[in-house]
Amino acid sequence: MSDQALERLRSWRAEVAIVLGSGLSSIVGDPDRDSQIAYSDFAEIPRPGVEGHAGRFVFGTLQRTRVIYAQGRSHLYEGHSAQSATAGVRLLAAAGVRRLILTNAAGTANPEFTPGSWMMIRDHLNLTGTTPLLGQPQFIDMSDAYSQAWRRQFRAAAESIGVTLHEGVYAGLLGPQYETPAEVRMLRTLGADAIGMSTVLEAIQARALGLEVAGFSCLTNWGAGVGNQPLSHAEVLETGRAAASGFSRLLAAAFRG
Ligand code: HPA
């Protein structure tokens, strides 16, 4: 671990960290140099290589709570192991963070959850075939992986500001190709509401470290075969950017209390 960079991360004394997925980095304004640390300062974090993922930690505040934003993340589909894809979570925990908010862009498999809206993750299906705990037998309890107490708080915040916040199950897949219509039908049968390529490994790693976790999917598109439009990364980024301000308002309301 790069001690100097970790010391800087720790010096912000943040209790909460927020991982921003595809197209959601705009939640953070333009930080000055002293308020950011590039992932490249940490040897253990792989460089994010996907458009829409910046690759830095940014210090911020939400009302009176100190937060660290993680702009960009590494994915399995870039060729990283589950261990390296979750290095950022371990660093944040080492920096003193106790509560983690994971966000992502996802396709919607639920005909009632329309693209452009947000879904709070109630539970997940880890369909990546791997785990950051591989090789270390930690039999952690995943039955309340996405904190009930925190979900209650976000639900109340969404109601108070009139933002639609669905709740459902996120299926995390390897990618990078989007699903076939048959796969989306299968995932729906398995109980998935949203489908993406991230988040589940970070949630597992965070729970193994004892962090409280919340997760939010920006529903950027209909899953394959649910709508009749072809899927594209450009559409995912565009819808993510448009929906980001609703999420900013939700965060502000949730931390007001
Ligand atoms: N499937 C998987 N991952 C995604 C999607 C999708 O439809 N949209 C954004 N990320």
Side-chain angles (χ1 to χ4, degrees):
M1 219 174 259
S2 162
D3 290 348
Q4 213 184 344
L6 179 61
E7 207 35 63
R8 273 195 68 206
L9 203 58
R10 189 180 284 140
S11 70
W12 186 241
R13 290 182 287 107
E15 187 209 330
V16 174
I18 305 173
V19 179
L20 298 171
S22 298
L24 303 173
S25 280
S26 62
I27 284 176
V28 179
D30 206 5
D32 57 39
R33 266 190 42 197
D34 293 342
S35 307
Q36 55 179 295
I37 312 180
Y39 289 171
S40 54
D41 287 359
F42 296 92
E44 50 280 82
I45 303 188
R47 305 288 79 72
V50 180
E51 198 207 332
H53 291 267
R56 64 184 178 193
F57 294 113
V58 176
F59 301 147
T61 50
L62 278 171
Q63 314 299 336
R64 274 187 300 278
T65 306
R66 284 162 178 258
V67 304
I68 297 173
Y69 294 97
Q71 280 185 318
R73 56 153 65 92
S74 310
H75 302 83
L76 288 177
Y77 61 70
E78 294 169 71
H80 307 303
S81 67
Q83 264 282 315
S84 36
T86 51
V89 173
R90 290 188 296 281
L91 279 167
L92 288 165
V97 162
R98 303 307 306 153
R99 310 173 84 195
L100 183 67
I101 297 175
L102 298 168
T103 69
N104 59 55
T108 164
N110 184 331
E112 291 179 8
F113 295 1
T114 51
S117 59
W118 283 87
M119 185 191 89
M120 180 157 64
I121 302 176
R122 177 169 18 95
D123 204 346
H124 79 211
L125 296 164
N126 174 14
L127 300 174
T128 63
T130 189
T131 160
L133 310 181
L134 200 65
Q136 348 154 14
Q138 291 185 61
F139 303 108
I140 59 158
D141 181 8
M142 291 293 288
S143 45
D144 188 25
Y146 298 87
S147 161
Q148 279 198 47
W150 221 1
R151 274 191 278 135
R152 217 172 297 125
Q153 191 178 333
F154 277 107
R155 211 178 294 135
E159 269 168 34
S160 76
I161 57 169
V163 163
T164 301
L165 186 60
H166 304 294
E167 263 184 86
V169 173
Y170 174 86
L173 279 72
L174 176 62
Q177 72 286 349
Y178 292 119
E179 302 68 40
T180 63
E183 287 165 341
V184 171
R185 281 195 302 276
M186 173 189 75
L187 294 165
R188 183 74 191 131
T189 308
L190 293 178
D193 297 292
I195 307 170
M197 307 173 192
S198 66
T199 302
V200 293
L201 302 180
E202 291 151 305
I204 294 167
Q205 178 62 84
R207 292 304 294 147
L209 294 167
L211 306 190
E212 188 173 13
V213 174
F216 297 88
S217 291
C218 177
L219 304 173
T220 52
N221 56 280
W222 290 116
V226 183
N228 46 19
Q229 266 201 317
L231 273 62
S232 77
H233 188 56
E235 179 201 3
V236 167
L237 291 182
E238 194 184 305
T239 312
R241 283 181 192 125
S245 69
F247 190 66
S248 292
R249 291 196 293 127
L250 178 67
L251 283 175
F255 283 85
R256 196 175 290 141

